Amino acid sequence: MNNSEVARVFQDIADLLELKGETLFKIRAYQKAVRSIEQLPVGLEQLRQEGKLRQIPGIGEAIEKKIVELLATGRLKYYEDLRSEFPAGIVSLLQVPGVGPKTAMRLSTELGIGSLEELEAAIVDGRVEGLYRLGEKTAENILHHLRSMRTKEQRLPIGTALPLAEEIMIALQERSQIRHLTPAGSLRRFRETIGDIDLMGTADDAETVIEAFTKLAQVREVLAKGSTKASVVTHRDLQVDLRVVEHDAFGSLLQYFTGSKQHNITLRERGQRQGLKLSEYGITTLQNGRLETYATEEGFYNRLGLQLIPPELREGQHEIERAAEHSMPQLVELSDLKGDLHVHTDWSDGHDSIEAMAMAASNLGYQYLAVTDHSRSLGIAHGLNEERLRAQMSEIRRLNERLNNIQILSGIEVDIRADGSLDFPDELLGELDVVIAAIHSSLSQRQDRMTQRVLRAIENPNVDIIAHPTCRLLGQREPIALDLEIIFRAAAQTGMALEINCMPDRLDLRDIHIFRARDLGVRLALGTDAHSTEHLKYMRFGVGIARRGWCEAKHLLNSMPAEELLASLGQQENKRI
Ligand code: DGT
Ligand code: CA
Ligand code: CA
C-alpha cells in the first residue's frame, strides 16, 4: 500500500467513528494522521524499515500498529470490523458538506441510499425532503453541495485557474464598485491544483456588486445568489464563489475563507484555549460575548498572539507554532530573483531568439539569463550537437559585448542517458557557465536503477543543477520512480542544486519535496523552462510553490548576483572532484 491508500483508510475510519458518535478527540487523532501522511515526502514503507514511523507528527503507538498491519497485509482488521457495523456506501454520503452523521444514517437506513448518485436521484424525485423533519431547504442545500462537489472533483492546475480568476477580477472591477478584491481559498494559498475559486471583496453596496458578478460574460450558470454572496460556474466547469462585506470586517472574512480548513481548525482550538471564539465575522470574547471585527488579517492574527502567517503556509502543519514563537520565515518574493536559470531559444525547440529572450528577461528586471538549450540526443527538440553548441557560445559572447542591461550565461540542458552518463563529454561541459542535467527518456526504469542514474549525474562535477527532478506532468504523467530521500541527501552533500521547474504543468520539485529538500540543506534553483518570451512570466508559479516549501531568498541560487552565482557554482564543482 502506498501513502495515499493508507491515508484513505484512516480518513474512512475517522468518518466511521463520527457516525458511531465517538469522541472528537479520537476522530481528530485519525484526521491528523491523514494530514501528516498526505504531506509526507517519503514512503511509509521506508520509514517503517527505518523504525521512524513514530517520528511522523500525529502518529502514536496505536496508529503505528495499524500502519504496520496495512503495509504488511494490505488489510486492517479494525477497519473491516468498523465497516461491518454500518451499511455499505455510507461513508461516501459523509463527504457531502451539509450531511452530518445523523442525516447520513437516516438517508442510508430509511431510504436505502448508498452512493452519491443515489442521493442525487432521491433529492431530485423528492424522497429526501419527505424525510421527517428534514425539509425542502436542507435537501436543496445538499443538492447544491453535491453538484459543486462534482465540478470540484476535476481540480484545475493553478496555471489555468489563476489567469481565469484574474480575468474575472478585472471584469468585475470594471463593471462594479468593488474594492479590495482578492482571491482566497486554495488559490491564495497557491496549491498546485484548485477545486474552486473563492473571491473576497468589500463594497458600500454589496447587492449591486453581486448583481454585476452574476452577469459577467464568463458566467455560464448561477448556482446560488444572495445579497452578499453568489456562486457561479464559468466555462471549463470552474466554480467561482464571491463574498462581499463591509471594509472593517474584511480581515476576518479573508482569514476564514483563505483556510485551509485544517489551519482554521488548529487556529480555532488555540482561540478556545484563550477564551476566544473565531468566525468569519471576527473574534468573540466568550466572557462578555463581545465581537471584535478586523479590517486586516494582521490584526486578527495578532489578537491571538501570533505573527501574520503567509497564506502559502496555512496548511495546518507547523506554521501556528512558528507564528507563536515569532519566528515566521521571510519567504522569497519575485523581486528577490536576479535571473532565470533555465530557458530555451530557437537554437533548439524554443520559439524566440537568444537576443529576444535576453531583452524580455531584462524587461523583467533580471540581471542575468542562463540559455540552456537541449543537447544532441534529444532529436525531436533539435538538440544541439557539439559544433552548434560552440557556435551558440560564440554568439552569446558577441551579444554580451553588445548588450548592457543583461548578462547571458552560456548553458545547456544536457540529457541524462539511461545509464546515468551525460550526452556531452566533461571537457565541453566544463567550458559552460551553467550546466543543467535532466532526464527525458527511459522514464519507466525501476526505482533502484533510476536512483542510481540520477546519483551518477549528481556526482558529476560539471553539473550544476538537476532540472525537473521527478519528470511529472500534472494530471498527465506520474513522477518517475526515484528515492528522493537518497537524492536529497546526496545533493546536500555534494552541493548539487535541484530545480524548482516553474512551468505550471510541471511544478517539479513540488511543494512537499521542496520543504524536505530545503530542510536537508539542498540548494534550490528556479527555472521557468521558457520556450518563448511569454513563458518567462511563469516564474511566479515557481515562487508560489517555493513559498509553500518555506523557501527564503537565501535558499535559491537565483537570488545571488551573477558574479557570486558563477563563483559559487565553481566552488561546488571542486567539492565533487
Ligand atoms: P479547493 O477549493 O478544494 O481547492 O480548496 P479550498 O481551500 O479553497 O476550499 P473551499 O473552497 O472549500 O473553502 C475555502 C476556504 O473556506 C477553506 O480553505 C477554509 C474555509 N472553509 C470552508 N469550509 C470550512 C469548514 O467547514 N470549516 C472551516 N473552519 N473552514 C472552512
Ligand atoms: Ca476554493
Ligand atoms: Ca469555495
Short mmCIF file of all heavy atoms in Angstrom, two decimals, residues 158-193:
data_model
loop_
_atom_site.label_atom_id
_atom_site.label_comp_id
_atom_site.label_asym_id
_atom_site.label_seq_id
_atom_site.Cartn_x
_atom_site.Cartn_y
_atom_site.Cartn_z
N ILE A 158 -3.16 25.21 -11.22
CA ILE A 158 -3.15 26.64 -10.88
C ILE A 158 -2.79 27.49 -12.10
O ILE A 158 -3.24 28.62 -12.23
CB ILE A 158 -2.22 26.93 -9.68
CG1 ILE A 158 -2.44 28.36 -9.20
CG2 ILE A 158 -0.75 26.66 -10.01
CD1 ILE A 158 -1.98 28.64 -7.81
N GLY A 159 -2.02 26.92 -13.01
CA GLY A 159 -1.65 27.64 -14.23
C GLY A 159 -2.84 28.02 -15.09
O GLY A 159 -2.80 28.97 -15.86
N THR A 160 -3.93 27.28 -14.97
CA THR A 160 -5.16 27.60 -15.69
C THR A 160 -6.07 28.45 -14.82
O THR A 160 -6.69 29.40 -15.29
CB THR A 160 -5.92 26.30 -16.06
OG1 THR A 160 -4.99 25.39 -16.62
CG2 THR A 160 -7.03 26.57 -17.05
N ALA A 161 -6.16 28.08 -13.53
CA ALA A 161 -7.12 28.75 -12.64
C ALA A 161 -6.74 30.20 -12.34
O ALA A 161 -7.61 31.07 -12.31
CB ALA A 161 -7.25 27.96 -11.33
N LEU A 162 -5.45 30.45 -12.15
CA LEU A 162 -5.05 31.81 -11.76
C LEU A 162 -5.35 32.84 -12.86
O LEU A 162 -5.97 33.87 -12.57
CB LEU A 162 -3.57 31.83 -11.35
CG LEU A 162 -3.02 33.15 -10.83
CD1 LEU A 162 -3.83 33.66 -9.63
CD2 LEU A 162 -1.55 33.02 -10.43
N PRO A 163 -4.97 32.59 -14.12
CA PRO A 163 -5.33 33.56 -15.16
C PRO A 163 -6.85 33.75 -15.31
O PRO A 163 -7.31 34.87 -15.52
CB PRO A 163 -4.75 32.94 -16.45
CG PRO A 163 -3.69 32.02 -15.99
CD PRO A 163 -4.11 31.52 -14.65
N LEU A 164 -7.62 32.64 -15.14
CA LEU A 164 -9.07 32.76 -15.20
C LEU A 164 -9.60 33.66 -14.09
O LEU A 164 -10.44 34.52 -14.31
CB LEU A 164 -9.70 31.39 -15.04
CG LEU A 164 -10.17 30.68 -16.30
CD1 LEU A 164 -10.59 29.26 -15.98
CD2 LEU A 164 -11.35 31.45 -16.90
N ALA A 165 -9.08 33.46 -12.89
CA ALA A 165 -9.50 34.27 -11.74
C ALA A 165 -9.16 35.74 -11.98
O ALA A 165 -9.97 36.63 -11.71
CB ALA A 165 -8.83 33.77 -10.46
N GLU A 166 -7.98 35.97 -12.55
CA GLU A 166 -7.56 37.35 -12.79
C GLU A 166 -8.46 38.02 -13.84
O GLU A 166 -8.82 39.19 -13.71
CB GLU A 166 -6.09 37.38 -13.22
CG GLU A 166 -5.19 37.15 -12.01
CD GLU A 166 -3.73 36.88 -12.36
OE1 GLU A 166 -3.43 36.60 -13.54
OE2 GLU A 166 -2.89 36.95 -11.46
N GLU A 167 -8.82 37.24 -14.84
CA GLU A 167 -9.71 37.76 -15.88
C GLU A 167 -11.05 38.17 -15.27
O GLU A 167 -11.58 39.25 -15.54
CB GLU A 167 -9.91 36.66 -16.93
CG GLU A 167 -10.73 37.05 -18.12
CD GLU A 167 -11.08 35.81 -18.97
OE1 GLU A 167 -10.19 34.95 -19.19
OE2 GLU A 167 -12.26 35.70 -19.37
N ILE A 168 -11.57 37.32 -14.40
CA ILE A 168 -12.86 37.61 -13.76
C ILE A 168 -12.75 38.81 -12.82
O ILE A 168 -13.62 39.68 -12.79
CB ILE A 168 -13.36 36.36 -13.02
CG1 ILE A 168 -13.79 35.32 -14.06
CG2 ILE A 168 -14.51 36.69 -12.07
CD1 ILE A 168 -14.07 33.95 -13.50
N MET A 169 -11.63 38.89 -12.09
CA MET A 169 -11.47 40.01 -11.17
C MET A 169 -11.40 41.34 -11.92
O MET A 169 -11.99 42.33 -11.50
CB MET A 169 -10.22 39.80 -10.31
CG MET A 169 -10.42 38.71 -9.26
SD MET A 169 -9.19 38.72 -7.96
CE MET A 169 -7.75 38.22 -8.83
N ILE A 170 -10.68 41.35 -13.04
CA ILE A 170 -10.57 42.58 -13.83
C ILE A 170 -11.95 42.97 -14.37
O ILE A 170 -12.36 44.13 -14.26
CB ILE A 170 -9.56 42.40 -14.99
CG1 ILE A 170 -8.15 42.33 -14.41
CG2 ILE A 170 -9.67 43.54 -16.00
CD1 ILE A 170 -7.08 41.93 -15.42
N ALA A 171 -12.68 41.99 -14.88
CA ALA A 171 -14.01 42.28 -15.43
C ALA A 171 -14.92 42.84 -14.34
O ALA A 171 -15.66 43.81 -14.56
CB ALA A 171 -14.61 41.01 -16.03
N LEU A 172 -14.87 42.25 -13.15
CA LEU A 172 -15.75 42.70 -12.06
C LEU A 172 -15.38 44.11 -11.59
O LEU A 172 -16.25 44.91 -11.27
CB LEU A 172 -15.67 41.69 -10.89
CG LEU A 172 -16.62 41.93 -9.74
CD1 LEU A 172 -18.07 41.95 -10.21
CD2 LEU A 172 -16.43 40.86 -8.66
N GLN A 173 -14.07 44.39 -11.59
CA GLN A 173 -13.65 45.73 -11.18
C GLN A 173 -14.10 46.78 -12.18
O GLN A 173 -14.40 47.91 -11.80
CB GLN A 173 -12.12 45.76 -10.98
CG GLN A 173 -11.77 45.43 -9.54
CD GLN A 173 -10.34 44.94 -9.38
OE1 GLN A 173 -9.74 44.42 -10.32
NE2 GLN A 173 -9.81 45.09 -8.18
N GLU A 174 -14.13 46.39 -13.44
CA GLU A 174 -14.57 47.34 -14.46
C GLU A 174 -16.07 47.61 -14.37
O GLU A 174 -16.53 48.69 -14.70
CB GLU A 174 -14.28 46.78 -15.86
CG GLU A 174 -12.84 46.99 -16.29
CD GLU A 174 -12.50 46.22 -17.57
OE1 GLU A 174 -13.40 45.52 -18.10
OE2 GLU A 174 -11.35 46.30 -18.00
N ARG A 175 -16.82 46.61 -13.94
CA ARG A 175 -18.28 46.70 -14.01
C ARG A 175 -18.97 46.98 -12.68
O ARG A 175 -20.19 46.96 -12.60
CB ARG A 175 -18.86 45.42 -14.62
CG ARG A 175 -18.65 45.34 -16.12
CD ARG A 175 -18.93 43.98 -16.66
NE ARG A 175 -18.63 43.91 -18.08
CZ ARG A 175 -17.40 43.88 -18.58
NH1 ARG A 175 -16.36 43.90 -17.77
NH2 ARG A 175 -17.19 43.83 -19.88
N SER A 176 -18.19 47.17 -11.61
CA SER A 176 -18.84 47.44 -10.32
C SER A 176 -17.93 48.27 -9.43
O SER A 176 -16.77 48.51 -9.76
CB SER A 176 -19.20 46.12 -9.62
OG SER A 176 -18.03 45.53 -9.11
N GLN A 177 -18.48 48.64 -8.28
CA GLN A 177 -17.73 49.47 -7.34
C GLN A 177 -17.04 48.61 -6.28
O GLN A 177 -16.96 48.99 -5.12
CB GLN A 177 -18.68 50.45 -6.64
CG GLN A 177 -19.39 51.40 -7.57
CD GLN A 177 -18.42 52.43 -8.14
OE1 GLN A 177 -17.59 52.96 -7.42
NE2 GLN A 177 -18.53 52.68 -9.43
N ILE A 178 -16.55 47.44 -6.65
CA ILE A 178 -15.95 46.56 -5.66
C ILE A 178 -14.53 47.03 -5.33
O ILE A 178 -13.82 47.54 -6.19
CB ILE A 178 -15.93 45.08 -6.13
CG1 ILE A 178 -15.59 44.16 -4.96
CG2 ILE A 178 -14.98 44.87 -7.31
CD1 ILE A 178 -16.11 42.76 -5.09
N ARG A 179 -14.18 46.89 -4.04
CA ARG A 179 -12.82 47.28 -3.62
C ARG A 179 -12.16 46.10 -2.92
O ARG A 179 -12.82 45.16 -2.50
CB ARG A 179 -12.90 48.48 -2.67
CG ARG A 179 -13.14 49.77 -3.43
CD ARG A 179 -13.52 50.90 -2.51
NE ARG A 179 -12.61 51.02 -1.37
CZ ARG A 179 -12.88 51.76 -0.29
NH1 ARG A 179 -14.00 52.42 -0.22
NH2 ARG A 179 -12.03 51.83 0.69
N HIS A 180 -10.85 46.16 -2.75
CA HIS A 180 -10.09 45.11 -2.05
C HIS A 180 -10.38 43.72 -2.60
O HIS A 180 -10.40 42.77 -1.84
CB HIS A 180 -10.44 45.10 -0.55
CG HIS A 180 -9.99 46.32 0.15
ND1 HIS A 180 -10.84 47.09 0.89
CD2 HIS A 180 -8.78 46.92 0.22
CE1 HIS A 180 -10.16 48.12 1.40
NE2 HIS A 180 -8.92 48.03 1.00
N LEU A 181 -10.65 43.62 -3.87
CA LEU A 181 -11.00 42.30 -4.42
C LEU A 181 -9.75 41.41 -4.42
O LEU A 181 -8.73 41.77 -4.99
CB LEU A 181 -11.56 42.47 -5.83
CG LEU A 181 -11.97 41.18 -6.55
CD1 LEU A 181 -13.06 40.46 -5.77
CD2 LEU A 181 -12.45 41.50 -7.96
N THR A 182 -9.85 40.25 -3.76
CA THR A 182 -8.69 39.36 -3.56
C THR A 182 -9.14 37.92 -3.64
O THR A 182 -10.21 37.58 -3.13
CB THR A 182 -8.13 39.56 -2.13
OG1 THR A 182 -8.02 40.93 -1.86
CG2 THR A 182 -6.78 38.90 -1.96
N PRO A 183 -8.33 37.04 -4.22
CA PRO A 183 -8.66 35.62 -4.12
C PRO A 183 -8.44 35.12 -2.70
O PRO A 183 -7.58 35.64 -1.99
CB PRO A 183 -7.66 34.93 -5.06
CG PRO A 183 -6.86 35.99 -5.70
CD PRO A 183 -7.10 37.27 -4.97
N ALA A 184 -9.20 34.12 -2.29
CA ALA A 184 -8.96 33.44 -1.01
C ALA A 184 -8.77 31.96 -1.34
O ALA A 184 -8.36 31.62 -2.45
CB ALA A 184 -10.12 33.68 -0.06
N GLY A 185 -9.06 31.08 -0.38
CA GLY A 185 -9.02 29.64 -0.62
C GLY A 185 -7.68 29.13 -1.14
O GLY A 185 -6.63 29.74 -0.93
N SER A 186 -7.77 27.99 -1.83
CA SER A 186 -6.55 27.31 -2.29
C SER A 186 -5.76 28.14 -3.30
O SER A 186 -4.55 28.01 -3.41
CB SER A 186 -6.91 25.97 -2.92
OG SER A 186 -7.92 26.15 -3.89
N LEU A 187 -6.45 29.03 -4.01
CA LEU A 187 -5.75 29.86 -5.00
C LEU A 187 -4.80 30.82 -4.28
O LEU A 187 -3.66 30.99 -4.68
CB LEU A 187 -6.78 30.64 -5.82
CG LEU A 187 -6.22 31.40 -7.02
CD1 LEU A 187 -5.63 30.44 -8.04
CD2 LEU A 187 -7.29 32.25 -7.69
N ARG A 188 -5.27 31.41 -3.19
CA ARG A 188 -4.41 32.33 -2.45
C ARG A 188 -3.29 31.58 -1.75
O ARG A 188 -2.19 32.08 -1.59
CB ARG A 188 -5.25 33.12 -1.45
CG ARG A 188 -4.45 34.15 -0.67
CD ARG A 188 -5.34 35.21 -0.07
NE ARG A 188 -4.58 36.21 0.66
CZ ARG A 188 -4.63 36.36 1.97
NH1 ARG A 188 -5.43 35.61 2.71
NH2 ARG A 188 -3.90 37.29 2.56
N ARG A 189 -3.57 30.35 -1.31
CA ARG A 189 -2.54 29.54 -0.67
C ARG A 189 -1.58 28.95 -1.69
O ARG A 189 -0.60 28.33 -1.35
CB ARG A 189 -3.16 28.42 0.17
CG ARG A 189 -4.11 28.90 1.24
CD ARG A 189 -4.37 27.82 2.30
NE ARG A 189 -4.68 26.53 1.75
CZ ARG A 189 -5.87 26.14 1.30
NH1 ARG A 189 -6.88 26.98 1.34
NH2 ARG A 189 -6.05 24.93 0.81
N PHE A 190 -1.92 29.10 -2.96
CA PHE A 190 -1.09 28.68 -4.07
C PHE A 190 -0.90 27.17 -4.15
O PHE A 190 0.19 26.66 -4.43
CB PHE A 190 0.29 29.36 -4.05
CG PHE A 190 0.64 29.92 -5.41
CD1 PHE A 190 0.31 31.21 -5.74
CD2 PHE A 190 1.24 29.13 -6.35
CE1 PHE A 190 0.59 31.72 -6.99
CE2 PHE A 190 1.53 29.62 -7.61
CZ PHE A 190 1.21 30.92 -7.93
N ARG A 191 -1.99 26.44 -3.91
CA ARG A 191 -1.92 24.99 -4.14
C ARG A 191 -1.74 24.72 -5.62
O ARG A 191 -2.16 25.51 -6.45
CB ARG A 191 -3.19 24.30 -3.64
CG ARG A 191 -3.18 24.01 -2.16
CD ARG A 191 -4.31 23.08 -1.80
NE ARG A 191 -4.19 21.79 -2.49
CZ ARG A 191 -5.02 20.77 -2.28
NH1 ARG A 191 -6.02 20.89 -1.45
NH2 ARG A 191 -4.84 19.64 -2.93
N GLU A 192 -1.15 23.60 -5.98
CA GLU A 192 -0.87 23.35 -7.40
C GLU A 192 -2.12 23.06 -8.21
O GLU A 192 -2.14 23.25 -9.42
CB GLU A 192 0.17 22.23 -7.56
CG GLU A 192 -0.30 20.90 -7.03
CD GLU A 192 0.83 19.87 -7.02
OE1 GLU A 192 2.00 20.25 -6.84
OE2 GLU A 192 0.51 18.68 -7.20
N THR A 193 -3.18 22.58 -7.56
CA THR A 193 -4.46 22.45 -8.24
C THR A 193 -5.54 23.13 -7.41
O THR A 193 -5.43 23.24 -6.20
CB THR A 193 -4.88 20.98 -8.45
OG1 THR A 193 -5.00 20.36 -7.16
CG2 THR A 193 -3.87 20.22 -9.29
#
